[in-house]
Amino acid sequence: IGDHILNISLGTYLSNSLSPFDALFPGCQVHDFGDLNFTQVPNDELYNNLILYPRSVGLASQVLADAVSRAVAAGHSCVTIGGDHSLALGSVSGHARQCPHLGVIWVDAHADINTPLTTQSGNLHGQPLSFLLRELQDKVPQLPGFSWLKPCLSASDIVYIGLRDVDPAEYYILKNYDIQYFSMRDIDRLGIQKVMERTFEQLMGRRQRPIHLSFDIDAFDPSLAPATGTPVLGGLTYREGMYITEEIHNTGMLSAVDMVEVNPLLGASQEEVNATASLAVDVIATCFGQTREGAHTAFDELPTPSSPDESDSEEQVRI
C-alpha cells in the first residue's frame, strides 16, 4: 500500500509462482484470508503539498486493521504480507485492539518514524511509527483519511534491529524519546545473540506479553534481498536474520508478523526476484518453528528389531 498501492504483493507472487502456503510452511495450519481489496481514492491530493496519497493509505490501513483484529480475535497468529511498511499503520493498530500491551520488534534498515512535518520524501511508508507512538501525538497533524487511527504504542514498547539509514529528525526522536535501537554497528559490536537478549529484556523483562514482529526485507544486505525499493549496503547476514526470528519463536510469545517491501517489480532478473521472495519465506517459516537443523517432526524413540531371535537367525543365514 502507500506509494506502491498497486504493486504486486509478495503474497500474490508466492501464491502464483511458488507453492501453496501450506506447502511453504509445513507443520503449520494455514488459514489464508486472501488478498485484501483496497480502493484508491480518486483525486487524492497531497497533504501539505508533500504527503502522498493520504486518503488512500488511511482507508487501506483501516481495512487492514479490521482484518488483523478479526484474525487475532479468532486465535490466529496473524501474518500480513505487503506491500510497503505503511501497512504497519493497520497491522499494529488492529493487533493492539486485541492485545493492548503488545511489544513491537521492528527489523529494518530505516526507522520509519518521520512525522508528516519532518519527512523529506512525503512517503507514508517512512512515517508509520510516528502515528502509532503516544509520545509523538502533539507533533503529528491530522491527515485526511486518518481520523480512525489512535496511537497504541509507548516508546518503551518498541525495539529496532538493523538500522543503518536514519534521517536527522528520526535520530532526534530515537534519542530524545529514549527508544531502544540496535544499529548494524551495534550488531557488529555486540553480536546478534546479545542484541536479542537485550531486546527481550527491554520488552519482556517485567512481564510476558505478545510480540508483533514487523520485518522489512531491506534489513538484509542487498546482496541477499535485491528486489526491494530502498536497499542499503551493510545489512544483516542470512545467519543474523534467521537467528532473530528463531529467538523470537523460542519466546512462545509471537502473535503477529509483518513481511514488507518485497517487490518483484524491482528485481533486475528472475533470479533476484526468486532469491528475495525465498528469503522472505525463510523469515516467516522460522518465525513459526523452522530451524536450521531442519523442520523435524516429533520423534519420541528409535525403533528396535521386532525380536532378538529374528535378528540372530538372519545373521546366521548371511554367514
Side-chain angles (χ1 to χ4, degrees):
I1 59 177
D3 62 340
H4 302 306
I5 196 165
L6 298 180
N7 274 1
I8 301 170
S9 74
L10 171 63
T12 301
Y13 175 78
L14 291 179
S15 60
N16 289 342
S17 304
L18 296 178
S19 303
F21 283 115
D22 296 70
L24 291 171
F25 309 118
C28 295
Q29 287 188 320
V30 179
H31 184 102
D32 186 0
F33 286 84
D35 292 344
L36 296 178
N37 295 313
F38 302 126
T39 302
Q40 188 145 11
V41 177
N43 303 316
D44 193 355
E45 297 178 358
L46 298 176
Y47 174 82
N48 199 27
N49 292 318
L50 180 62
I51 307 301
L52 297 161
Y53 310 118
R55 297 161 191 83
S56 299
V57 174
L59 177 61
S61 298
Q62 186 175 16
V63 172
L64 178 56
D66 292 341
V68 170
S69 179
R70 288 193 301 270
V72 174
H76 299 292
S77 297
C78 184
V79 179
T80 305
I81 299 175
D84 68 46
H85 223 156
S86 62
L87 71 74
L89 291 162
S91 65
V92 175
S93 295
H95 191 187
R97 290 179 196 171
Q98 304 299 327
C99 305
H101 303 298
L102 61 82
V104 174
I105 299 176
W106 196 277
V107 183
D108 201 328
H110 311 90
D112 293 346
I113 201 168
N114 270 300
T115 76
L117 304 181
T118 66
T119 178
Q120 299 174 11
S121 69
N123 292 323
L124 281 162
H125 63 75
Q127 305 172 52
L129 279 166
S130 71
F131 291 90
L132 298 172
L133 201 63
R134 296 184 183 97
E135 289 89 339
L136 288 179
Q137 287 322 288
D138 62 338
K139 308 297 183 185
V140 175
Q142 182 67 252
L143 265 60
F146 280 66
S147 59
W148 64 275
L149 183 61
K150 308 300 180 202
C152 56
L153 299 174
S154 297
S156 60
D157 298 330
I158 304 167
V159 177
Y160 286 101
I161 299 174
L163 295 181
R164 58 191 185 278
D165 186 10
V166 179
D167 293 340
E170 293 180 309
Y171 186 76
Y172 175 92
I173 291 169
L174 297 182
K175 288 297 186 181
N176 284 272
Y177 291 90
D178 198 25
I179 298 173
Q180 179 70 71
Y181 70 90
F182 297 99
S183 66
M184 287 307 304
R185 183 178 186 278
D186 295 320
I187 293 172
D188 290 341
R189 181 171 57 90
L190 297 170
I192 196 64
Q193 177 183 358
K194 182 64 68 175
V195 165
M196 295 313 297
E197 288 174 359
R198 294 188 181 182
T199 294
F200 297 137
E201 181 181 343
Q202 167 74 22
L203 294 179
M204 297 191 293
R206 298 184 185 91
R207 61 178 175 179
Q208 295 288 93
R209 57 171 166 170
I211 293 175
H212 186 113
L213 172 62
S214 203
F215 203 117
D216 189 321
I217 202 70
D218 73 22
F220 284 105
D221 192 79
S223 61
L224 298 174
T228 190
T230 49
V232 186
L233 289 174
L236 296 172
T237 66
Y238 182 86
R239 290 163 63 184
E240 288 166 340
M242 294 305 106
Y243 188 84
I244 290 168
T245 47
E246 285 170 348
E247 289 299 291
I248 292 172
H249 168 76
N250 288 341
T251 67
M253 298 305 295
L254 182 62
S255 182
V257 180
D258 305 328
M259 171 49 65
V260 305
E261 297 286 359
V262 177
N263 191 338
L265 299 180
L266 297 180
S269 66
Q270 191 61 45
E271 288 73 22
E272 287 194 357
V273 172
N274 290 345
T276 309
S278 295
L279 183 59
V281 170
D282 284 351
V283 169
I284 298 169
T286 307
C287 284
F288 294 101
Q290 177 175 293
T291 70
R292 284 173 284 174
E293 292 87 1
H296 303 298
T297 56
F299 203 93
D300 296 326
E301 59 180 331
L302 291 173
T304 58
S306 55
S307 77
D309 293 339
E310 288 182 15
S311 295
D312 290 344
S313 61
E314 288 176 5
E315 186 66 21
Q316 291 170 1
V317 168
R318 282 199 292 271
I319 292 171

